[in-house]
Amino acid sequence: MTTMLKSLARKTSTTGTSYLTLRGLASESAPDRKVAILGAAGGIGQPLSLLMKLNPLVSRLALYDIAGTPGVSADVSHINTRSEVLGFAGEEQLGKALEGADVVIIPAGVPRKPGMTRDDLFNINAGIVTSLCTAIAKYCPHALINMISNPVNSTVPIASEVFKKAGTYDEKRLFGVTTLDVVRAKTFYAGKAKVNVADVNVPVVGGHAGITILPLFSQATPNGNLASEEIEALTKRTQDGGTEVVEAKAGKGSATLSMAYAGAIFADACLKGLNGVPDVVECSFVQSTVTDLRFFASKVRLGKYGVEEVLGLGPLSDYEKQGLEALKPELKSSIEKGIKYANAN
């Protein structure tokens, strides 16, 4: 996705012919792939729909929401790229939106507002996720699920239980999208280390809320030789990145644009994996044995069936080891909360 966007900027600025018109030629050999976005008319869903329309690996783009999708789909469908766009609104059209989907991205739900914790979102978004996953189990049980709806630490376990009840659960196909934590860690690290952000890589492990987010700056490349107090400040800023945006928007929203970008990056990685591109690795919150927690975010190699390999944590600094132990109780509680909700509903 990053390469695609760079290429778009480069080719539209240096040639008379837009990259968007050239790309059809390059994508003719790409397999047909349907991507469904559930919550496509929302704050994350709209820019995410735009970014997925720009992805040459997508041949069909199904946009679903409870309302507002016809306008979004009409707007996005006018963009001269490969994918066919169809909009679906209301619960009665959810099945059609999902049928035949290879990847389902779920940004549906209510956003955080000032003073609201991720737990405050729980009851509303848990219900939404449960109903959407029930439909996924029925209409596209083999799709790769990209869960964006917060709190991810709980909604992924909820989804797993819904799929288990339906007899369709495959741990290799369910992903919590934690890419925004990686995007933030890369950006903040590059600014502090004064290196080119395009060259930066920072693994982020754990979960997707507050202290459960653990960026491994000791493994960051290139090495910025930052002092321990700078690493601690960067860690805290990465953990509080969502709150930073919520407060800056002063009650008018949460991280929508950066989340849409991160969601598009992860979906692109999933599509590349499905298409057999080798060594596609992204961090994601998945069922895991890396720690004693049932779900955990770490680097994951993606392949033709979803998760090809869950990678280990690698060497940790003493500060990161402390962070890992500190996050476990909260992450465990969030996971159990999701499982308990799913089993009670």
Side-chain angles (χ1 to χ4, degrees), residues 214-218 228-236 239 316-326:
L214 183 61
L216 303 183
F217 288 115
S218 71
S228 58
E229 58 269 22
E230 292 176 306
I231 295 294
E232 290 178 24
L234 285 175
T235 300
K236 186 78 167 64
Q239 292 171 338
L316 304 181
S317 68
D318 289 342
Y319 176 71
E320 290 161 356
K321 288 175 184 175
Q322 292 170 7
L324 178 61
E325 293 310 309

Side-chain angles (χ1 to χ4, degrees), residues 54-291:
L54 295 177
N55 191 314
L57 301 180
V58 181
S59 54
R60 288 180 293 157
L61 187 58
L63 306 182
Y64 171 82
D65 215 318
I66 51 174
T69 354
V72 176
S73 61
D75 195 356
V76 171
S77 72
H78 291 178
I79 297 168
N80 59 319
T81 58
R82 178 193 183 200
S83 54
E84 174 191 10
V85 180
L86 293 172
F88 302 90
E91 289 183 24
E92 66 280 0
Q93 293 193 345
L94 178 55
K96 287 184 178 179
L98 291 171
E99 283 175 349
D102 296 287
V103 176
V104 179
I105 313 172
I106 310 179
V110 298
R112 261 205 308 163
K113 295 176 182 175
M116 183 185 281
T117 68
R118 292 182 192 273
D119 272 353
D120 293 332
L121 304 177
F122 180 83
N123 284 324
I124 298 172
N125 288 356
I128 292 170
V129 166
T130 298
S131 61
L132 293 177
C133 288
T134 300
I136 290 168
K138 181 177 180 180
Y139 293 105
C140 56
H142 302 299
L144 302 191
I145 313 305
N146 291 188
M147 184 68 69
I148 292 174
S149 302
N150 273 318
V152 165
N153 292 353
S154 298
T155 55
V156 169
I158 288 171
S160 74
E161 294 300 310
V162 171
F163 295 141
K164 284 176 186 175
K165 288 180 184 177
T168 65
Y169 181 53
D170 182 350
E171 65 188 71
K172 297 180 184 299
R173 298 178 185 272
L174 176 60
F175 302 90
V177 180
T178 60
T179 314
L180 181 52
D181 302 325
V182 177
V183 165
R184 285 174 173 149
K186 289 179 177 181
T187 302
F188 303 158
Y189 177 86
K192 183 62 70 173
K194 294 180 171 50
V195 293
N196 184 353
V197 70
D199 298 329
V200 169
N201 195 20
V202 183
V204 182
V205 304
H208 185 55
I211 67 162
T212 70
I213 300 166
L214 183 61
L216 303 183
F217 288 115
S218 71
Q219 298 178 23
T221 54
N223 188 337
N225 294 312
L226 299 181
S228 58
E229 58 269 22
E230 292 176 306
I231 295 294
E232 290 178 24
L234 285 175
T235 300
K236 186 78 167 64
R237 190 180 179 200
T238 303
Q239 292 171 338
D240 294 341
T243 302
E244 184 178 314
V245 175
V246 167
E247 291 177 350
K249 290 190 175 182
K252 293 184 171 64
S254 58
T256 53
L257 301 174
S258 54
M259 183 63 248
Y261 171 75
I265 287 176
F266 189 75
D268 181 66
C270 286
L271 290 166
K272 286 175 178 172
L274 287 174
N275 292 350
V277 176
D279 294 320
V280 179
V281 176
E282 291 287 343
C283 291
S284 182
F285 186 66
V286 296
Q287 184 170 316
S288 172
T289 57
V290 166
T291 68

